[in-house]
Amino acid sequence: MGKHSRRKKKSGRKKGQQDETNDTTSSSLLNQIRHSNPETRHAALAGLMNTIFATDSSSTSNNNSKKIQIDILQAIRERVMDKDLECAQLAAACLSNYLEQEQQENNNNKERKIITSSWTVVFLQRLNECITEIEEKKSSAENNNNNPSVLKREKRLWAMIMQCLSAICNLVEMNHKALTQFFTTTNNENTNNNINSIASLLSVLMVGTQQFEKNKNNKTNDLAAATTTDTILYFNEKSLIYAAQALHSALDDNMDLMKQCTATTNFWNVIRQTCTNSSLPLSCRLHCAGCIVTAWNLSTSEDDAVATILLSAVTEDVNPLLCTILDQYTTASLSNTNSNDDLLNNIRLAQQKLKTEEADNVLETEIIRKVTERKESSRQIARRQKNAQQQKKKKEKAKQEQEEDTPMEEEEDNNEDEGASNNKKVQSNDKDACEAFELAKSEWYKKQAPLELALEVLANLTGLRMPPLLDEDDNDIVMDEDWGPEQEKMLLEEGEGDTTSLSPLDISLINTIVQSRIPNQLMTVLKILCSNSTNNNSTTETADKVVPDTIQDSLQELRSKCGACIGNCMGEHFAGSSWIATVEGNENNDNTSVVVVGLLQQLCTVLVESNGNHNIANAIAAGLRSHSIIREQCQPDDLTVFIQFASSSSCQREAIEILGILCSCETHNEEVNRKVCSTLLSIETKENVEIQNEIFNALMDIYGNDGCHPAVFESLNVLNYFQRITPKFKHMIQQRQQQRDSNTEEEDQVVLVEQFKETLLNASRFISYKKGQL
């Protein structure tokens, strides 16, 4: 008992000592980070960089960034301005990786966001110091291009710039308070050290471009100097990309910053020069193109001077760049080399090899474990092998068995001795297979990255600017109680080809987009992305032909962005455009002299191949809503596709909307009406308020017209459906209202709930109106 009691006390002391140890460790680490000796500071920061702030730390420890103490983060932030450039670089790298982890984990800790927002000024200040030093030493460096000390210093400066810009990108994209700090440093002339965010990033683009072109053309026979120059070139390239990306992200929906950019001397000239410089990284050029398009969308029609300058940049610089990227992608994908099929096959083969190696690793590990657990003596092993040999001799010929068993004996005798070495070989093979798999995926992402960014820019470009709001006196459309599907159809028909709401600059841009065949190129890209070879189909594909989930997610993202671009090009503002009447394969022939495969059929095909991508379905809905020529192309097979997707799919809501548009705007027979109505009434909404909202709208659009197959309306008890489901729909809205109130940051939910309430009101009026007819 005495011993047991003493152990308890000892355990208690250890627990207390552990708490004290944690505090002591934290304090010791802070002291090392703030130590007067740069070597001590460097060692502490290097240790943090390779452990807590390592880029792969998230895979070994979940929510790792939340465990880092704030005082440690603040101490590291202080070291960003360290006089020792290596220490400063490590500190910036630690914070950059930390911010990246925060972004991946979607950490919304308000206290930490406030703290990290103040880092923006620190990174900008250090960035300015590095750029200033590079500019001051530029002339001397030109005379000593291959001087080891000059190259070493330049390498550290660009590494520091890269880390600062990486951190600024993460801050601007994930932290609204940091974005406010970014704008404040730009707009306030009284900030410390007169830091100007826009001027700083503009300096990186100007100085970085000069250095990038110089280092790219710098040829030397000195191996050490060449290696250092290549490293500088890498840091330089990343710095240019991050600088353009930070500007692109900061300008998004930021009218004040756009005005400040326009007021900055030479800003748009530098952006345009960077966008058109073919020697620079493509991602950098695309981000600059994104800056121009974002500013164009923010410009108002009243400000014709600025809008004219931006439109010139869009048509002369951005549009050709985007066309080139789409052309290069389609050419490479349709060729026999470096096509999507080749890249995907490489991924499949590498994945299959990795799975085989992993299975072999598990099997051999298990065999080695069993052999080790037996702990047999040599005599026992020999006896067991002898018995096994005798059993085999009964089944096979004696000579063959002796030839095969003799070497096997020796191998099994040494199995236990060679277990460790065999295990190492398996792990080595497994590592090689894993590296090959990651390399194959990397090649895929490398090819798709420019396309993805180009599609993002195109989505903003084809979305056009918001038209100026009409005064109440100018809005002569009155939606009274007699408003119904007939009036809706008349409004759609009157609106087709109506561009009166657009300014001459917007009309000019639309013409440029159509004449450069961007919509047609987008359709070609979408067909490539939705080809059968890129799809996973568990019923027809074998395991070795399945594309990894990460690649499938990448493909779906690309399809969604491409579908969004096409949806914009099918909007009402593109009415009358020649591309809407596109017939597949009719580029050199008259439309009437070929087999018609209209735009709707092409989109239906890719919709099926993409397994119901909702953005592609949205594009179809936009085309049907805005263009009668698209509605007239609808064939029975197309209608069957829409009905199938409306029953159950990832684009169910959009498919329901499509059925409502077709049956309310186009004449159709009773059989079609009954089939569509039965489908809508039989859909299981499963308390999904968005789906129920779309069903109500579709049914009201179809049967709001009293002459639209009243016999079907009565025989299928549509009115009874409304009376049963409306109370449930009201309850769904109340639940969504509560969710919206608990999450005030989601502004989109506010708009959605108001739309649901409007549908509920219309459904109640619809019931009253139909009751009055009975």
Side-chain angles (χ1 to χ4, degrees):
M1 290 296 293
K3 286 185 178 180
H4 184 66
S5 176
R6 283 196 297 272
R7 284 175 182 167
K8 270 192 172 182
K9 291 178 182 178
K10 189 175 181 180
S11 176
R13 286 196 300 271
K14 282 184 179 179
K15 185 177 181 180
Q17 288 173 358
Q18 185 177 1
D19 295 337
E20 292 176 5
T21 302
N22 290 336
D23 295 337
T24 304
T25 302
S26 176
S27 176
S28 175
L29 182 58
L30 288 173
N31 290 335
Q32 291 177 27
I33 295 173
R34 291 170 171 155
H35 201 277
S36 58
N37 188 342
E39 293 182 358
T40 303
R41 299 196 301 270
H42 185 278
L45 291 168
L48 288 170
M49 183 63 192
N50 292 319
T51 53
I52 299 176
F53 296 101
T55 53
D56 59 344
S57 60
S58 58
S59 62
T60 57
S61 177
N62 294 329
N63 300 327
N64 194 39
S65 62
K66 298 178 183 178
K67 301 177 183 178
I68 303 172
Q69 297 179 12
I70 293 177
D71 53 354
I72 293 178
L73 292 174
Q74 295 289 55
I76 297 173
R77 187 211 63 174
E78 295 169 5
R79 297 274 65 82
V80 173
M81 299 303 298
D82 200 307
K83 294 181 179 179
D84 186 272
L85 194 56
E86 291 188 52
C87 291
Q89 179 191 337
L90 281 171
C94 287
L95 297 183
S96 177
N97 288 353
Y98 169 79
L99 292 170
E100 188 174 348
Q101 291 175 21
E102 288 269 290
Q103 191 172 27
Q104 291 175 354
E105 296 167 7
N106 196 20
N107 191 353
N108 292 319
N109 188 304
K110 292 183 179 180
E111 181 184 3
R112 298 210 167 203
K113 283 189 177 293
I114 293 173
I115 292 172
T116 56
S117 65
S118 63
W119 297 355
T120 309
V121 179
V122 179
F123 287 121
L124 285 170
Q125 185 175 346
R126 188 74 210 207
L127 179 67
N128 280 345
E129 291 181 2
C130 293
I131 288 293
T132 301
E133 183 176 344
I134 289 174
E135 287 183 309
E136 289 175 350
K137 294 184 177 182
K138 186 166 58 174
S139 58
S140 59
E142 287 176 357
N143 299 326
N144 300 278
N145 282 334
N146 298 326
N147 188 308
S149 60
V150 172
L151 289 176
K152 186 177 181 180
R153 182 67 180 178
E154 185 180 354
K155 182 181 74 172
R156 290 177 179 174
L157 286 170
W158 280 112
M160 186 71 209
I161 292 171
M162 181 192 70
Q163 297 295 353
C164 288
L165 288 170
S166 174
I168 290 171
C169 280
N170 286 321
L171 284 169
V172 168
E173 291 174 358
M174 64 173 278
N175 192 335
H176 179 72
K177 294 184 181 295
L179 182 59
T180 304
Q181 286 277 350
F182 183 90
F183 176 69
T184 302
T185 57
T186 297
N187 201 37
N188 188 0
E189 297 179 356
N190 297 321
T191 52
N192 295 333
N193 298 326
N194 293 325
I195 300 173
N196 185 304
S197 304
I198 295 176
S200 299
L201 297 181
L202 213 59
S203 297
V204 174
L205 290 178
M206 291 187 293
V207 177
T209 298
Q210 296 172 1
Q211 294 293 308
F212 184 80
E213 291 176 339
K214 184 198 76 172
N215 292 326
K216 198 172 183 180
N217 298 323
N218 186 16
K219 305 296 182 181
T220 177
N221 295 325
D222 187 343
L223 182 59
T227 303
T228 305
T229 301
D230 289 342
T231 306
I232 294 173
L233 197 64
Y234 170 79
F235 293 148
N236 201 178
E237 178 182 359
K238 288 294 183 182
S239 298
L240 286 168
I241 294 173
Y242 288 143
Q245 182 180 345
L247 281 172
H248 188 188
S249 300
L251 276 169
D252 191 28
D253 291 331
N254 196 332
M255 176 67 79
D256 294 331
L257 188 60
M258 191 277 282
K259 291 179 179 178
Q260 191 65 32
C261 289
T262 303
T264 302
T265 306
N266 212 32
F267 179 83
W268 291 117
N269 287 337
V270 174
I271 295 298
R272 292 186 67 174
Q273 289 170 6
T274 307
C275 180
T276 55
N277 191 336
S278 59
S279 66
L280 296 181
L282 189 55
S283 296
C284 174
R285 297 173 62 195
L286 282 169
H287 279 300
C288 287
C291 291
I292 295 171
V293 172
T294 301
W296 158 256
N297 287 337
L298 291 172
S299 64
T300 58
S301 298
E302 291 78 11
D303 194 359
D304 287 333
V306 175
T308 303
I309 295 173
L310 291 171
L311 178 61
S312 175
V314 169
T315 55
E316 296 175 10
D317 304 330
V318 176
N319 199 67
L321 175 62
L322 297 175
C323 287
T324 300
I325 292 173
L326 294 178
D327 278 336
Q328 290 176 347
Y329 184 84
T330 53
T331 302
S333 298
L334 296 175
S335 66
N336 294 327
T337 58
N338 199 31
S339 65
N340 277 357
D341 289 349
D342 290 338
L343 295 173
L344 289 171
N345 285 334
N346 291 339
I347 292 173
R348 291 188 183 102
L349 291 173
Q351 179 181 236
Q352 188 65 18
K353 183 177 180 181
L354 177 61
K355 289 181 178 179
T356 303
E357 293 289 350
E358 289 175 346
D360 291 343
N361 190 14
V362 172
L363 181 61
E364 292 204 28
T365 302
E366 182 66 15
I367 291 173
I368 293 170
R369 184 187 64 80
K370 289 182 177 180
V371 171
T372 305
E373 285 180 352
R374 286 175 181 172
K375 295 182 180 179
E376 295 176 296
S377 64
S378 300
R379 182 175 297 177
Q380 290 174 328
I381 295 174
R383 185 180 295 113
R384 175 169 51 81
Q385 291 174 348
K386 184 178 179 180
N387 293 335
Q389 182 180 355
Q390 290 175 350
Q391 292 177 0
K392 290 179 181 179
K393 283 182 178 180
K394 295 178 182 179
K395 299 178 181 179
E396 299 181 6
K397 293 181 181 180
K399 291 183 180 180
Q400 292 178 345
E401 190 64 23
Q402 287 176 0
E403 292 175 358
E404 294 175 1
D405 287 341
T406 302
M408 185 174 66
E409 271 190 46
E410 296 175 0
E411 182 179 351
E412 291 181 359
D413 285 337
N414 297 324
N415 192 21
E416 190 171 351
D417 297 332
E418 297 177 357
S421 61
N422 288 339
N423 196 22
K424 290 180 180 179
K425 291 179 182 179
V426 171
Q427 292 176 354
S428 176
N429 292 336
D430 187 47
K431 183 179 180 181
D432 293 341
C434 184
E435 290 177 353
F437 180 54
E438 292 300 324
L439 180 62
K441 290 197 298 182
S442 176
E443 288 296 321
W444 166 266
Y445 290 124
K446 184 178 179 180
K447 182 189 176 185
Q448 312 304 326
L451 176 66
E452 184 174 8
L453 186 51
L455 291 175
E456 291 176 6
V457 176
L458 269 170
N460 288 331
L461 180 62
T462 54
L464 303 180
R465 299 185 299 174
M466 291 296 293
L469 296 176
L470 296 174
D471 296 332
E472 292 183 2
D473 297 337
D474 296 334
N475 189 4
D476 57 354
I477 299 176
V478 180
M479 298 179 68
D480 54 21
E481 294 181 357
D482 295 330
W483 184 270
E486 291 184 358
Q487 290 77 9
E488 187 77 21
K489 181 178 180 180
M490 290 174 59
L491 180 63
L492 287 172
E493 293 175 349
E494 291 174 0
E496 290 186 13
D498 182 18
T499 57
T500 55
S501 62
L502 299 176
S503 71
L505 296 179
D506 293 305
I507 296 174
S508 174
L509 176 60
I510 291 174
N511 292 334
T512 300
I513 291 172
V514 174
Q515 289 171 6
S516 60
R517 296 182 56 79
I518 283 180
N520 305 79
Q521 289 176 306
L522 287 169
M523 276 301 304
T524 304
V525 170
L526 187 59
K527 292 173 186 176
I528 293 171
L529 294 172
C530 296
S531 62
N532 289 329
S533 60
T534 62
N535 284 314
N536 283 346
N537 189 335
S538 58
T539 60
T540 60
E541 299 288 350
T542 57
D544 61 332
K545 293 186 177 180
V546 173
V547 178
D549 291 339
T550 53
I551 303 300
Q552 272 296 318
D553 293 341
S554 169
L555 275 169
Q556 279 292 58
E557 186 70 18
L558 289 170
R559 292 166 184 164
S560 295
K561 291 177 179 179
C562 193
C565 294
I566 293 173
N568 289 338
C569 293
M570 297 189 73
E572 59 182 354
H573 296 315
F574 282 80
S577 299
S578 57
W579 102 274
I580 296 296
T582 298
V583 176
E584 193 174 40
N586 74 321
E587 294 180 1
N588 299 319
N589 299 292
D590 183 70
N591 288 353
T592 59
S593 63
V594 297
V595 177
V596 175
V597 182
L599 193 56
L600 181 61
Q601 281 72 42
Q602 297 176 48
L603 287 170
C604 281
T605 300
V606 295
L607 179 65
V608 173
E609 292 176 345
S610 68
N611 297 321
N613 184 284
H614 68 94
N615 272 351
I616 298 176
N618 259 329
I620 295 174
L624 292 171
R625 191 187 307 112
S626 304
H627 310 289
S628 58
I629 189 173
I630 299 294
R631 295 195 293 270
E632 292 168 359
Q633 292 176 2
C634 187
Q635 301 296 319
D637 290 343
D638 303 324
L639 187 64
T640 301
V641 170
F642 299 142
I643 289 176
Q644 290 175 348
F645 280 122
S647 300
S648 177
S649 69
S650 56
C651 65
Q652 186 177 29
R653 186 185 65 80
E654 292 80 7
I656 294 170
E657 180 186 3
I658 289 170
L659 292 177
I661 294 171
L662 286 172
C663 290
S664 62
C665 296
E666 293 297 319
T667 304
H668 55 282
N669 58 40
E670 182 176 331
E671 180 184 357
V672 170
N673 187 270
R674 185 177 297 276
K675 192 172 184 180
V676 170
C677 184
S678 300
T679 300
L680 295 176
L681 296 179
S682 63
I683 293 174
E684 293 289 340
T685 61
K686 299 178 181 179
E687 299 296 319
N688 189 322
V689 64
E690 283 89 354
I691 299 299
Q692 189 60 64
N693 178 76
E694 211 60 59
I695 293 173
F696 273 165
N697 282 328
L699 289 171
M700 287 188 288
D701 288 343
I702 296 171
Y703 296 110
N705 179 6
D706 296 335
C708 182
H709 301 287
V712 175
F713 181 85
E714 293 179 9
S715 64
L716 294 180
N717 293 320
V718 178
L719 180 59
N720 178 263
Y721 174 84
F722 270 83
Q723 291 173 324
R724 286 188 299 104
I725 303 299
T726 299
K728 297 180 181 178
F729 184 53
K730 183 177 181 180
H731 178 66
M732 295 180 198
I733 296 174
Q734 290 173 346
Q735 289 182 323
R736 180 59 65 86
Q737 176 87 39
Q738 294 174 356
Q739 295 175 4
R740 186 198 73 178
D741 294 340
S742 62
N743 192 352
T744 56
E745 293 184 1
E746 294 188 11
E747 297 180 2
D748 293 342
Q749 292 298 322
V750 178
V751 178
L752 278 175
V753 169
E754 294 305 317
Q755 291 176 356
F756 299 153
K757 289 181 178 179
E758 182 181 351
T759 301
L760 179 64
L761 178 61
N762 292 337
S764 301
R765 290 177 176 177
F766 181 81
I767 293 172
S768 300
Y769 174 73
K770 288 298 182 179
K771 277 185 175 180
Q773 288 186 322
L774 297 178

